[in-house]
Each structure stands twice: as C-alpha cells, then as structure tokens.
Amino acid sequence: MKKEIVSGKYLICIVGIMLLCFTSRFPGSDVDLHEMTLMAFVTYGKSQLLQMGEMASSYSVAVSFRDMGWFIVLLPVMSVLPVVSEFAEEWFSGHYYISISRTTRIKYTIKWMTKAAAETFVGVVSGIILYFILVYIKFPAYILFGDAAESSVIANVYGTTIAARGFHLGVSVIHTGMLASVFAMLSIIIWYVDWNFMYIVFCSNKSALGW
C-alpha cells in the first residue's frame, strides 16, 4: 500500500512538471500577448502553426519550456513534494529511530540526500520528456519550414545541425533536473536540522521545568 502511495506522488510530480512546462510562453505568438503554450496546444491546428513560421515549430516550443517567470519558484515546490512526503512519513511513523539506530546520523542524512537527488532528477526529467513528446506530436517539425541557416533564428541561436540543437536541448533538461535535485537535497537538510533543533529545544525546556 505504501509503495502505491509513493508511486502516486511521483506520478503527480511528473504530470505537474509537464503542466508547468506547458505554462511557458508560446514563442510563435506576439510577445505582447504572453500566450501560454497550453493555449496554443489546444487552439491552433497544424496549418495555422505552419503559417506562424519557425518560432511555432516543435523545437522552438520545446526549447522554451522554462520561459515562464514563476518557473524557478514553482519547480522546487513541485519537484521535492514526493521525496519530502516520503521522508516525513518515515519520520512520523517512528521508522526514523529504527533506521538511525543502525547507522550514524551523517550516513543516514547522506543516504536520504542521495535518494532525494536521484529520484527528483528522474521525476523532473521524465516530466520534461513527456512534455517534449506531446509537443513534437502537436507542433510541426522545424525542418518543415525550410528556413535557410543564414535567416533562421533557431539555426543561429541553437545550431545549424540536429546534433547541435539536440545537445543544447539536452543540456537544458539536465541542468533543470540537477537544479531540482539540489532543491530536494536542501529540503531534506532543512527538514532534518529544523526538527532536530526543535527536539533539542523541547528537551532543554523539559529539563529546565523538571519534567
């Protein structure tokens, strides 16, 4: 039962990251409109997207997955939810004391930090890849626009070859996953330090009052 609950939380994380990417600004529309990619996804047809030019291509939409002002704020909130919830369940269930008795506090913290980083990275990257899949299904491929490298914004910024553009996109995804992993590790440290501090204060007050 516990595994099903944890799996559900990670599924929510993956879907949440995908939806977060869909809130990015659609590069094919006017800059002043601030149209979301999700709106473009459900509103425009292939023929309309082709008329918008290369900025409405699947690559342009995919590479703009972080183009939203609140992305860096919402990313840690959505990405660390599963691992923090799992850590909280172990903490409040009493399994923490059993686990900590079998090892040292440092090893226990490192184990959870490593777990948090790995699982968060996989969850965030999975959500982004799911977003890419839907984008490449809906939006026309960049090569369909037939823009010459000299006049193409995408070619000039991200590279003239598929390999160069793929590398740039891959680095962006990995960077986002690593950033989320750092947030996850920090959340474990903050939780651990905070609750241990509160426990020490409680014990100190208890001793002072003679309980």
Side-chain angles (χ1 to χ4, degrees), residues 99-154:
S99 300
I100 202 70
S101 64
R102 298 172 180 171
T103 183
T104 63
R105 293 180 181 273
I106 294 178
K107 289 182 179 180
Y108 178 82
T109 306
I110 291 176
K111 184 197 79 170
W112 266 100
M113 288 176 62
T114 304
K115 177 183 175 67
E119 293 184 354
T120 301
F121 181 86
V122 172
V124 170
V125 171
S126 298
I128 297 173
I129 291 176
L130 180 58
Y131 167 74
F132 286 168
I133 292 173
L134 294 177
V135 164
Y136 275 88
I137 291 174
K138 171 67 177 182
F139 296 91
Y142 168 65
I143 57 175
L144 295 178
F145 294 93
D147 290 340
E150 294 77 12
S151 60
S152 171
V153 175
I154 292 177

Side-chain angles (χ1 to χ4, degrees), residues 4-202:
E4 293 179 359
I5 294 175
V6 172
S7 299
K9 289 175 181 176
Y10 276 97
L11 179 61
I12 292 173
C13 172
I14 292 172
V15 174
I17 294 298
M18 179 199 71
L19 293 175
L20 181 61
C21 293
F22 266 113
T23 61
S24 61
R25 188 185 66 82
F26 176 53
S29 64
D30 194 295
V31 178
D32 297 329
L33 293 178
H34 298 287
E35 186 177 15
M36 286 195 307
T37 299
L38 181 60
M39 294 301 297
F41 187 89
V42 300
T43 303
Y44 302 121
K46 277 282 178 71
S47 59
Q48 293 174 297
L49 293 170
L50 284 169
Q51 294 175 2
M52 294 179 183
E54 65 171 17
M55 298 311 293
S57 67
S58 55
Y59 182 83
S60 178
V61 175
V63 81
S64 303
F65 72 95
R66 297 185 294 188
D67 190 9
M68 196 267 284
W70 288 90
F71 188 90
I72 195 63
V73 177
L74 296 176
L75 175 66
V77 176
M78 303 180 69
S79 60
V80 306
L81 176 62
V83 70
V84 169
S85 300
E86 188 178 349
F87 184 68
E89 287 175 7
E90 177 169 319
W91 185 282
F92 290 113
S93 65
H95 293 297
Y96 160 75
Y97 300 101
I98 299 175
S99 300
I100 202 70
S101 64
R102 298 172 180 171
T103 183
T104 63
R105 293 180 181 273
I106 294 178
K107 289 182 179 180
Y108 178 82
T109 306
I110 291 176
K111 184 197 79 170
W112 266 100
M113 288 176 62
T114 304
K115 177 183 175 67
E119 293 184 354
T120 301
F121 181 86
V122 172
V124 170
V125 171
S126 298
I128 297 173
I129 291 176
L130 180 58
Y131 167 74
F132 286 168
I133 292 173
L134 294 177
V135 164
Y136 275 88
I137 291 174
K138 171 67 177 182
F139 296 91
Y142 168 65
I143 57 175
L144 295 178
F145 294 93
D147 290 340
E150 294 77 12
S151 60
S152 171
V153 175
I154 292 177
N156 290 326
V157 175
Y158 303 111
T160 57
T161 63
I162 295 177
R165 294 191 294 271
F167 176 78
H168 188 282
L169 191 61
V171 169
S172 299
V173 173
I174 293 174
H175 175 264
T176 305
M178 292 178 66
L179 184 62
S181 296
V182 172
F183 288 137
M185 289 189 292
L186 287 175
S187 67
I188 295 297
I189 294 174
I190 292 171
W191 177 283
Y192 185 80
V193 172
D194 185 50
W195 275 96
N196 275 279
F197 176 75
M198 291 175 63
Y199 178 75
I200 293 172
V201 171
F202 173 77

